[in-house]
PDB file of all heavy atoms in Angstrom:
ATOM      1  N   ARG H   2      -2.187  -0.758  -6.734  1.00 98.00           N
ATOM      2  CA  ARG H   2      -3.319  -0.519  -5.831  1.00 98.00           C
ATOM      3  C   ARG H   2      -3.040  -1.089  -4.439  1.00 98.00           C
ATOM      4  O   ARG H   2      -3.454  -0.513  -3.431  1.00 98.00           O
ATOM      5  CB  ARG H   2      -4.623  -1.068  -6.421  1.00 98.00           C
ATOM      6  CG  ARG H   2      -4.549  -2.520  -6.782  1.00 98.00           C
ATOM      7  CD  ARG H   2      -5.846  -3.258  -6.992  1.00 98.00           C
ATOM      8  NE  ARG H   2      -6.793  -2.827  -7.962  1.00 98.00           N
ATOM      9  CZ  ARG H   2      -7.678  -3.652  -8.561  1.00 98.00           C
ATOM     10  NH1 ARG H   2      -7.676  -4.952  -8.294  1.00 98.00           N
ATOM     11  NH2 ARG H   2      -8.562  -3.191  -9.392  1.00 98.00           N
ATOM     12  N   LEU H   5      -0.821   1.361  -2.715  1.00 98.00           N
ATOM     13  CA  LEU H   5      -1.582   2.553  -2.305  1.00 98.00           C
ATOM     14  C   LEU H   5      -2.288   2.293  -0.977  1.00 98.00           C
ATOM     15  O   LEU H   5      -2.252   3.126  -0.060  1.00 98.00           O
ATOM     16  CB  LEU H   5      -2.626   2.929  -3.363  1.00 98.00           C
ATOM     17  CG  LEU H   5      -2.102   3.508  -4.672  1.00 98.00           C
ATOM     18  CD1 LEU H   5      -3.224   3.567  -5.720  1.00 98.00           C
ATOM     19  CD2 LEU H   5      -1.493   4.897  -4.463  1.00 98.00           C
ATOM     20  N   MET H  55      -5.657  -4.999  -0.451  1.00 98.00           N
ATOM     21  CA  MET H  55      -6.208  -3.666  -0.120  1.00 98.00           C
ATOM     22  C   MET H  55      -7.123  -3.780   1.102  1.00 98.00           C
ATOM     23  O   MET H  55      -7.007  -3.011   2.048  1.00 98.00           O
ATOM     24  CB  MET H  55      -7.015  -3.088  -1.294  1.00 98.00           C
ATOM     25  CG  MET H  55      -6.176  -2.679  -2.490  1.00 98.00           C
ATOM     26  SD  MET H  55      -7.161  -1.856  -3.778  1.00 98.00           S
ATOM     27  CE  MET H  55      -7.102  -0.140  -3.237  1.00 98.00           C
ATOM     28  N   TRP H  67     -11.328   4.591   3.432  1.00 97.00           N
ATOM     29  CA  TRP H  67     -11.713   4.104   2.103  1.00 97.00           C
ATOM     30  C   TRP H  67     -12.776   3.014   2.152  1.00 97.00           C
ATOM     31  O   TRP H  67     -13.400   2.709   1.142  1.00 97.00           O
ATOM     32  CB  TRP H  67     -10.498   3.547   1.348  1.00 97.00           C
ATOM     33  CG  TRP H  67      -9.439   4.563   1.037  1.00 97.00           C
ATOM     34  CD1 TRP H  67      -9.461   5.911   1.288  1.00 97.00           C
ATOM     35  CD2 TRP H  67      -8.186   4.303   0.412  1.00 97.00           C
ATOM     36  NE1 TRP H  67      -8.304   6.491   0.873  1.00 97.00           N
ATOM     37  CE2 TRP H  67      -7.500   5.536   0.328  1.00 97.00           C
ATOM     38  CE3 TRP H  67      -7.569   3.153  -0.074  1.00 97.00           C
ATOM     39  CZ2 TRP H  67      -6.230   5.636  -0.239  1.00 97.00           C
ATOM     40  CZ3 TRP H  67      -6.308   3.255  -0.638  1.00 97.00           C
ATOM     41  CH2 TRP H  67      -5.648   4.483  -0.726  1.00 97.00           C
ATOM     42  N   THR H  78     -19.286   0.156  -5.511  1.00 98.00           N
ATOM     43  CA  THR H  78     -17.846  -0.124  -5.527  1.00 98.00           C
ATOM     44  C   THR H  78     -17.580  -1.497  -6.136  1.00 98.00           C
ATOM     45  O   THR H  78     -16.726  -1.644  -7.021  1.00 98.00           O
ATOM     46  CB  THR H  78     -17.288  -0.066  -4.081  1.00 98.00           C
ATOM     47  OG1 THR H  78     -17.470   1.257  -3.596  1.00 98.00           O
ATOM     48  CG2 THR H  78     -15.819  -0.440  -4.018  1.00 98.00           C
ATOM     49  N   LEU H  81     -18.209  -1.434  -9.891  1.00 98.00           N
ATOM     50  CA  LEU H  81     -17.178  -0.700 -10.633  1.00 98.00           C
ATOM     51  C   LEU H  81     -15.885  -1.502 -10.720  1.00 98.00           C
ATOM     52  O   LEU H  81     -15.245  -1.570 -11.772  1.00 98.00           O
ATOM     53  CB  LEU H  81     -16.903   0.658  -9.964  1.00 98.00           C
ATOM     54  CG  LEU H  81     -17.957   1.742 -10.199  1.00 98.00           C
ATOM     55  CD1 LEU H  81     -17.767   2.896  -9.211  1.00 98.00           C
ATOM     56  CD2 LEU H  81     -17.884   2.255 -11.634  1.00 98.00           C
ATOM     57  N   ILE H  82     -15.498  -2.111  -9.608  1.00 98.00           N
ATOM     58  CA  ILE H  82     -14.231  -2.851  -9.598  1.00 98.00           C
ATOM     59  C   ILE H  82     -14.343  -4.119 -10.448  1.00 98.00           C
ATOM     60  O   ILE H  82     -13.423  -4.465 -11.193  1.00 98.00           O
ATOM     61  CB  ILE H  82     -13.772  -3.154  -8.157  1.00 98.00           C
ATOM     62  CG1 ILE H  82     -13.438  -1.841  -7.437  1.00 98.00           C
ATOM     63  CG2 ILE H  82     -12.558  -4.082  -8.150  1.00 98.00           C
ATOM     64  CD1 ILE H  82     -13.040  -1.993  -5.982  1.00 98.00           C
ATOM     65  N   LEU H 125     -18.155  10.801 -12.011  1.00 98.00           N
ATOM     66  CA  LEU H 125     -17.327  11.895 -11.486  1.00 98.00           C
ATOM     67  C   LEU H 125     -17.954  13.263 -11.747  1.00 98.00           C
ATOM     68  O   LEU H 125     -17.603  14.242 -11.086  1.00 98.00           O
ATOM     69  CB  LEU H 125     -15.918  11.821 -12.086  1.00 98.00           C
ATOM     70  CG  LEU H 125     -15.118  10.567 -11.664  1.00 98.00           C
ATOM     71  CD1 LEU H 125     -13.873  10.408 -12.528  1.00 98.00           C
ATOM     72  CD2 LEU H 125     -14.739  10.623 -10.188  1.00 98.00           C
ATOM     73  N   THR H 129     -17.359  14.151  -6.448  1.00 96.00           N
ATOM     74  CA  THR H 129     -15.918  14.401  -6.638  1.00 96.00           C
ATOM     75  C   THR H 129     -15.152  13.109  -6.870  1.00 96.00           C
ATOM     76  O   THR H 129     -14.128  13.091  -7.542  1.00 96.00           O
ATOM     77  CB  THR H 129     -15.319  15.077  -5.390  1.00 96.00           C
ATOM     78  OG1 THR H 129     -16.349  15.735  -4.690  1.00 96.00           O
ATOM     79  CG2 THR H 129     -14.208  16.016  -5.742  1.00 96.00           C
ATOM     80  N   HIS H 130     -15.633  12.026  -6.261  1.00 98.00           N
ATOM     81  CA  HIS H 130     -14.974  10.728  -6.446  1.00 98.00           C
ATOM     82  C   HIS H 130     -16.004   9.698  -6.910  1.00 98.00           C
ATOM     83  O   HIS H 130     -17.178  10.026  -7.041  1.00 98.00           O
ATOM     84  CB  HIS H 130     -14.246  10.320  -5.156  1.00 98.00           C
ATOM     85  CG  HIS H 130     -13.064  11.190  -4.880  1.00 98.00           C
ATOM     86  ND1 HIS H 130     -13.155  12.342  -4.151  1.00 98.00           N
ATOM     87  CD2 HIS H 130     -11.778  11.113  -5.308  1.00 98.00           C
ATOM     88  CE1 HIS H 130     -11.972  12.942  -4.128  1.00 98.00           C
ATOM     89  NE2 HIS H 130     -11.117  12.219  -4.823  1.00 98.00           N
ATOM     90  N   LEU H 131     -15.529   8.474  -7.144  1.00 98.00           N
ATOM     91  CA  LEU H 131     -16.411   7.531  -7.861  1.00 98.00           C
ATOM     92  C   LEU H 131     -17.695   7.184  -7.134  1.00 98.00           C
ATOM     93  O   LEU H 131     -18.736   7.039  -7.749  1.00 98.00           O
ATOM     94  CB  LEU H 131     -15.651   6.244  -8.220  1.00 98.00           C
ATOM     95  CG  LEU H 131     -14.675   6.355  -9.390  1.00 98.00           C
ATOM     96  CD1 LEU H 131     -13.963   5.025  -9.609  1.00 98.00           C
ATOM     97  CD2 LEU H 131     -15.393   6.796 -10.667  1.00 98.00           C
ATOM     98  N   VAL H 132     -17.617   7.031  -5.802  1.00 98.00           N
ATOM     99  CA  VAL H 132     -18.857   6.670  -5.109  1.00 98.00           C
ATOM    100  C   VAL H 132     -19.230   7.673  -4.028  1.00 98.00           C
ATOM    101  O   VAL H 132     -20.057   7.379  -3.168  1.00 98.00           O
ATOM    102  CB  VAL H 132     -18.830   5.218  -4.534  1.00 98.00           C
ATOM    103  CG1 VAL H 132     -18.546   4.195  -5.621  1.00 98.00           C
ATOM    104  CG2 VAL H 132     -17.832   5.086  -3.390  1.00 98.00           C
ATOM    105  N   GLY H 133     -18.636   8.844  -4.046  1.00 97.00           N
ATOM    106  CA  GLY H 133     -18.974   9.844  -3.040  1.00 97.00           C
ATOM    107  C   GLY H 133     -18.043  11.028  -3.150  1.00 97.00           C
ATOM    108  O   GLY H 133     -17.288  11.142  -4.116  1.00 97.00           O
ATOM    109  N   LYS H 134     -18.074  11.883  -2.125  1.00 96.00           N
ATOM    110  CA  LYS H 134     -17.231  13.078  -2.247  1.00 96.00           C
ATOM    111  C   LYS H 134     -15.779  12.804  -1.836  1.00 96.00           C
ATOM    112  O   LYS H 134     -14.887  13.565  -2.176  1.00 96.00           O
ATOM    113  CB  LYS H 134     -17.832  14.256  -1.472  1.00 96.00           C
ATOM    114  CG  LYS H 134     -17.880  14.096   0.020  1.00 96.00           C
ATOM    115  CD  LYS H 134     -18.434  15.382   0.648  1.00 96.00           C
ATOM    116  CE  LYS H 134     -18.630  15.273   2.141  1.00 96.00           C
ATOM    117  NZ  LYS H 134     -17.562  14.623   2.910  1.00 96.00           N
ATOM    118  N   ASP H 135     -15.547  11.713  -1.122  1.00 96.00           N
ATOM    119  CA  ASP H 135     -14.184  11.411  -0.665  1.00 96.00           C
ATOM    120  C   ASP H 135     -13.590  10.250  -1.462  1.00 96.00           C
ATOM    121  O   ASP H 135     -14.316   9.391  -1.951  1.00 96.00           O
ATOM    122  CB  ASP H 135     -14.204  11.020   0.822  1.00 96.00           C
ATOM    123  CG  ASP H 135     -14.733  12.162   1.676  1.00 96.00           C
ATOM    124  OD1 ASP H 135     -14.301  13.312   1.440  1.00 96.00           O
ATOM    125  OD2 ASP H 135     -15.593  11.903   2.535  1.00 96.00           O
ATOM    126  N   PRO H 136     -12.252  10.207  -1.503  1.00 97.00           N
ATOM    127  CA  PRO H 136     -11.619   9.063  -2.150  1.00 97.00           C
ATOM    128  C   PRO H 136     -11.967   7.784  -1.376  1.00 97.00           C
ATOM    129  O   PRO H 136     -12.063   7.815  -0.151  1.00 97.00           O
ATOM    130  CB  PRO H 136     -10.115   9.330  -2.021  1.00 97.00           C
ATOM    131  CG  PRO H 136      -9.973  10.713  -1.516  1.00 97.00           C
ATOM    132  CD  PRO H 136     -11.283  11.145  -0.946  1.00 97.00           C
ATOM    133  N   SER H 137     -12.152   6.697  -2.076  1.00 97.00           N
ATOM    134  CA  SER H 137     -12.431   5.432  -1.383  1.00 97.00           C
ATOM    135  C   SER H 137     -11.856   4.287  -2.194  1.00 97.00           C
ATOM    136  O   SER H 137     -11.143   4.493  -3.191  1.00 97.00           O
ATOM    137  CB  SER H 137     -13.931   5.255  -1.144  1.00 97.00           C
ATOM    138  OG  SER H 137     -14.575   5.005  -2.362  1.00 97.00           O
ATOM    139  N   LEU H 138     -12.159   3.086  -1.740  1.00 98.00           N
ATOM    140  CA  LEU H 138     -11.609   1.881  -2.368  1.00 98.00           C
ATOM    141  C   LEU H 138     -11.761   1.899  -3.894  1.00 98.00           C
ATOM    142  O   LEU H 138     -10.817   1.576  -4.626  1.00 98.00           O
ATOM    143  CB  LEU H 138     -12.340   0.656  -1.784  1.00 98.00           C
ATOM    144  CG  LEU H 138     -11.851  -0.691  -2.273  1.00 98.00           C
ATOM    145  CD1 LEU H 138     -10.462  -0.993  -1.722  1.00 98.00           C
ATOM    146  CD2 LEU H 138     -12.815  -1.799  -1.853  1.00 98.00           C
ATOM    147  N   ALA H 139     -12.938   2.282  -4.381  1.00 98.00           N
ATOM    148  CA  ALA H 139     -13.182   2.238  -5.831  1.00 98.00           C
ATOM    149  C   ALA H 139     -12.174   3.127  -6.567  1.00 98.00           C
ATOM    150  O   ALA H 139     -11.570   2.705  -7.564  1.00 98.00           O
ATOM    151  CB  ALA H 139     -14.611   2.691  -6.141  1.00 98.00           C
ATOM    152  N   ASP H 140     -11.979   4.348  -6.088  1.00 98.00           N
ATOM    153  CA  ASP H 140     -11.037   5.254  -6.768  1.00 98.00           C
ATOM    154  C   ASP H 140      -9.647   4.638  -6.816  1.00 98.00           C
ATOM    155  O   ASP H 140      -8.986   4.628  -7.860  1.00 98.00           O
ATOM    156  CB  ASP H 140     -10.963   6.592  -6.020  1.00 98.00           C
ATOM    157  CG  ASP H 140     -12.311   7.253  -5.934  1.00 98.00           C
ATOM    158  OD1 ASP H 140     -12.729   7.855  -6.932  1.00 98.00           O
ATOM    159  OD2 ASP H 140     -12.982   7.127  -4.883  1.00 98.00           O
ATOM    160  N   MET H 141      -9.203   4.154  -5.660  1.00 98.00           N
ATOM    161  CA  MET H 141      -7.812   3.705  -5.569  1.00 98.00           C
ATOM    162  C   MET H 141      -7.582   2.367  -6.272  1.00 98.00           C
ATOM    163  O   MET H 141      -6.480   2.069  -6.706  1.00 98.00           O
ATOM    164  CB  MET H 141      -7.391   3.627  -4.096  1.00 98.00           C
ATOM    165  CG  MET H 141      -7.413   4.975  -3.442  1.00 98.00           C
ATOM    166  SD  MET H 141      -6.355   6.157  -4.360  1.00 98.00           S
ATOM    167  CE  MET H 141      -6.934   7.697  -3.656  1.00 98.00           C
ATOM    168  N   ALA H 142      -8.659   1.577  -6.382  1.00 98.00           N
ATOM    169  CA  ALA H 142      -8.515   0.306  -7.107  1.00 98.00           C
ATOM    170  C   ALA H 142      -8.531   0.540  -8.609  1.00 98.00           C
ATOM    171  O   ALA H 142      -7.949  -0.239  -9.366  1.00 98.00           O
ATOM    172  CB  ALA H 142      -9.641  -0.651  -6.708  1.00 98.00           C
ATOM    173  N   ILE H 143      -9.169   1.611  -9.053  1.00 98.00           N
ATOM    174  CA  ILE H 143      -9.378   1.812 -10.499  1.00 98.00           C
ATOM    175  C   ILE H 143      -8.395   2.822 -11.092  1.00 98.00           C
ATOM    176  O   ILE H 143      -7.955   2.672 -12.240  1.00 98.00           O
ATOM    177  CB  ILE H 143     -10.855   2.212 -10.739  1.00 98.00           C
ATOM    178  CG1 ILE H 143     -11.758   1.010 -10.393  1.00 98.00           C
ATOM    179  CG2 ILE H 143     -11.091   2.690 -12.170  1.00 98.00           C
ATOM    180  CD1 ILE H 143     -13.248   1.279 -10.426  1.00 98.00           C
ATOM    181  N   LEU H 144      -8.023   3.841 -10.328  1.00 98.00           N
ATOM    182  CA  LEU H 144      -7.147   4.890 -10.877  1.00 98.00           C
ATOM    183  C   LEU H 144      -5.877   4.352 -11.559  1.00 98.00           C
ATOM    184  O   LEU H 144      -5.521   4.854 -12.647  1.00 98.00           O
ATOM    185  CB  LEU H 144      -6.774   5.890  -9.777  1.00 98.00           C
ATOM    186  CG  LEU H 144      -7.709   7.092  -9.668  1.00 98.00           C
ATOM    187  CD1 LEU H 144      -7.589   7.757  -8.299  1.00 98.00           C
ATOM    188  CD2 LEU H 144      -7.457   8.118 -10.774  1.00 98.00           C
ATOM    189  N   PRO H 145      -5.197   3.363 -10.985  1.00 98.00           N
ATOM    190  CA  PRO H 145      -3.978   2.912 -11.673  1.00 98.00           C
ATOM    191  C   PRO H 145      -4.240   2.412 -13.098  1.00 98.00           C
ATOM    192  O   PRO H 145      -3.390   2.564 -13.982  1.00 98.00           O
ATOM    193  CB  PRO H 145      -3.478   1.771 -10.765  1.00 98.00           C
ATOM    194  CG  PRO H 145      -4.008   2.104  -9.402  1.00 98.00           C
ATOM    195  CD  PRO H 145      -5.369   2.720  -9.665  1.00 98.00           C
ATOM    196  N   PHE H 146      -5.417   1.852 -13.329  1.00 98.00           N
ATOM    197  CA  PHE H 146      -5.743   1.341 -14.659  1.00 98.00           C
ATOM    198  C   PHE H 146      -6.094   2.487 -15.618  1.00 98.00           C
ATOM    199  O   PHE H 146      -5.756   2.446 -16.801  1.00 98.00           O
ATOM    200  CB  PHE H 146      -6.901   0.336 -14.569  1.00 98.00           C
ATOM    201  CG  PHE H 146      -6.520  -0.887 -13.773  1.00 98.00           C
ATOM    202  CD1 PHE H 146      -6.645  -0.906 -12.393  1.00 98.00           C
ATOM    203  CD2 PHE H 146      -5.986  -1.997 -14.410  1.00 98.00           C
ATOM    204  CE1 PHE H 146      -6.271  -2.028 -11.659  1.00 98.00           C
ATOM    205  CE2 PHE H 146      -5.603  -3.120 -13.686  1.00 98.00           C
ATOM    206  CZ  PHE H 146      -5.746  -3.125 -12.301  1.00 98.00           C
ATOM    207  N   ILE H 147      -6.747   3.508 -15.086  1.00 98.00           N
ATOM    208  CA  ILE H 147      -7.066   4.667 -15.932  1.00 98.00           C
ATOM    209  C   ILE H 147      -5.775   5.404 -16.282  1.00 98.00           C
ATOM    210  O   ILE H 147      -5.610   5.907 -17.395  1.00 98.00           O
ATOM    211  CB  ILE H 147      -8.078   5.593 -15.217  1.00 98.00           C
ATOM    212  CG1 ILE H 147      -9.347   4.816 -14.861  1.00 98.00           C
ATOM    213  CG2 ILE H 147      -8.398   6.818 -16.072  1.00 98.00           C
ATOM    214  CD1 ILE H 147     -10.038   4.135 -16.042  1.00 98.00           C
ATOM    215  N   TRP H 169      -9.605  14.194 -12.069  1.00 98.00           N
ATOM    216  CA  TRP H 169      -9.475  13.140 -11.032  1.00 98.00           C
ATOM    217  C   TRP H 169      -8.106  12.467 -11.133  1.00 98.00           C
ATOM    218  O   TRP H 169      -7.410  12.261 -10.138  1.00 98.00           O
ATOM    219  CB  TRP H 169     -10.635  12.184 -11.284  1.00 98.00           C
ATOM    220  CG  TRP H 169     -10.802  10.924 -10.540  1.00 98.00           C
ATOM    221  CD1 TRP H 169     -11.119  10.754  -9.216  1.00 98.00           C
ATOM    222  CD2 TRP H 169     -10.760   9.593 -11.117  1.00 98.00           C
ATOM    223  NE1 TRP H 169     -11.282   9.411  -8.949  1.00 98.00           N
ATOM    224  CE2 TRP H 169     -11.073   8.687 -10.087  1.00 98.00           C
ATOM    225  CE3 TRP H 169     -10.514   9.101 -12.400  1.00 98.00           C
ATOM    226  CZ2 TRP H 169     -11.133   7.305 -10.293  1.00 98.00           C
ATOM    227  CZ3 TRP H 169     -10.575   7.735 -12.609  1.00 98.00           C
ATOM    228  CH2 TRP H 169     -10.876   6.848 -11.563  1.00 98.00           C
ATOM    229  N   PHE H 173      -4.764  12.729  -8.575  1.00 98.00           N
ATOM    230  CA  PHE H 173      -4.148  11.497  -8.061  1.00 98.00           C
ATOM    231  C   PHE H 173      -2.640  11.507  -8.327  1.00 98.00           C
ATOM    232  O   PHE H 173      -1.825  11.235  -7.432  1.00 98.00           O
ATOM    233  CB  PHE H 173      -4.817  10.303  -8.748  1.00 98.00           C
ATOM    234  CG  PHE H 173      -4.183   8.969  -8.476  1.00 98.00           C
ATOM    235  CD1 PHE H 173      -4.171   8.429  -7.205  1.00 98.00           C
ATOM    236  CD2 PHE H 173      -3.609   8.233  -9.519  1.00 98.00           C
ATOM    237  CE1 PHE H 173      -3.600   7.188  -6.952  1.00 98.00           C
ATOM    238  CE2 PHE H 173      -3.036   6.986  -9.279  1.00 98.00           C
ATOM    239  CZ  PHE H 173      -3.029   6.464  -8.000  1.00 98.00           C
TER     240      PHE H 173
END
Side-chain angles (χ1 to χ4, degrees):
R2 55 163 58 154
L5 289 169
M55 290 186 88
W67 296 357
T78 297
L81 284 165
I82 294 177
L125 294 167
T129 336
H130 291 89
L131 284 178
V132 303
K134 66 177 175 43
D135 299 315
S137 71
L138 183 70
D140 301 281
M141 296 304 165
I143 293 173
L144 268 160
F146 296 86
I147 303 304
W169 174 69
F173 172 65

